[in-house]
Amino acid sequence: FGFLFFLGLSTLMLKYLVILGAIVQILGIADYVKATFKGKTKPNRVSWLFWAVSTLMGSIAAWSNNAGWAALPVFSAGLASLLVFIASCFNKQSYWKLGKFDYTCGFFAFLGLLLWWISKNPSLAILFGILGDLFASIPTLRKSWTNPNTESKPVFWAGLFSAGTSFFAISQVAYVNLAFPIYLFMINGITLIFLYKSSILNRPYKITNHQKP
């Protein structure tokens, strides 16, 4: 009886940890949205739009495969990305000017999501979804490397923490349950490394005018 009680208590605590991760994600995105309205951050609309679509689709796919609470951080990431995209539409001075490179990445992101949607194989569908999300991430990764002043670090720290909580809530170790949380954890981590590049390499970044509309 004691073991079953401990097991039930541990499961409940893990569920609350995932909820905490989702709350941290929303708080991080709230700070980013606020900075976007003020023009302090300049989100790349290609990235944030396709991040929203891919992660929301990913959470639905995960829930359909009985991922349970582990899908909550993925869903919160999608909702957060959608809020950033919407916020960028209200301030013409707070978005990154898009070029051919961004639209090319957007095309491949769309292609990946399209293949995900028409795929009948859940594992293959998630792979296409991650590839689509990765292509959407490339413009922001590039911008984080060249112009880190146009991004906000807390939102990616929040995303890293939120994605990390997914691992504690996974009841069944399977590709369909692990793939997206692992990807989200890695992409947030890589973005943070790029944003901290100047501090790590002890080199000042150069501000360009590419972010101006």
Side-chain angles (χ1 to χ4, degrees), residues 88-209:
S88 71
C89 297
F90 282 91
N91 188 348
K92 294 183 178 180
Q93 301 300 319
S94 64
Y95 72 93
W96 187 261
K97 184 180 179 181
L98 302 179
K100 292 181 179 179
F101 177 82
D102 304 281
Y103 289 116
T104 300
C105 291
F107 169 77
F108 283 108
F110 173 77
L111 183 61
L113 295 180
L114 180 63
L115 292 173
W116 182 4
W117 183 67
I118 64 178
S119 176
K120 302 299 181 181
N121 185 314
S123 298
L124 192 60
I126 289 179
L127 175 61
F128 284 135
I130 290 176
L131 289 175
D133 195 281
L134 179 60
F135 275 110
S137 301
I138 292 175
T140 291
L141 288 172
R142 182 192 189 193
K143 184 164 74 77
S144 298
W145 181 267
T146 58
N147 293 76
N149 59 302
T150 64
E151 283 296 342
S152 175
K153 299 180 183 73
V155 69
F156 297 104
W157 277 114
L160 187 73
F161 176 79
S162 180
T165 62
S166 296
F167 304 124
F168 296 98
I170 292 175
S171 57
Q172 182 180 3
V173 179
Y175 166 77
V176 292
N177 296 335
L178 284 169
F180 240 109
I182 290 175
Y183 164 76
L184 289 176
F185 187 86
M186 291 179 62
I187 202 67
N188 279 284
I190 293 172
T191 305
L192 283 169
I193 291 174
F194 283 12
L195 290 174
Y196 282 103
K197 174 205 53 163
S198 299
S199 300
I200 295 173
L201 300 179
N202 196 27
R203 295 177 182 175
Y205 56 77
K206 296 181 180 180
I207 299 177
T208 70
N209 293 325

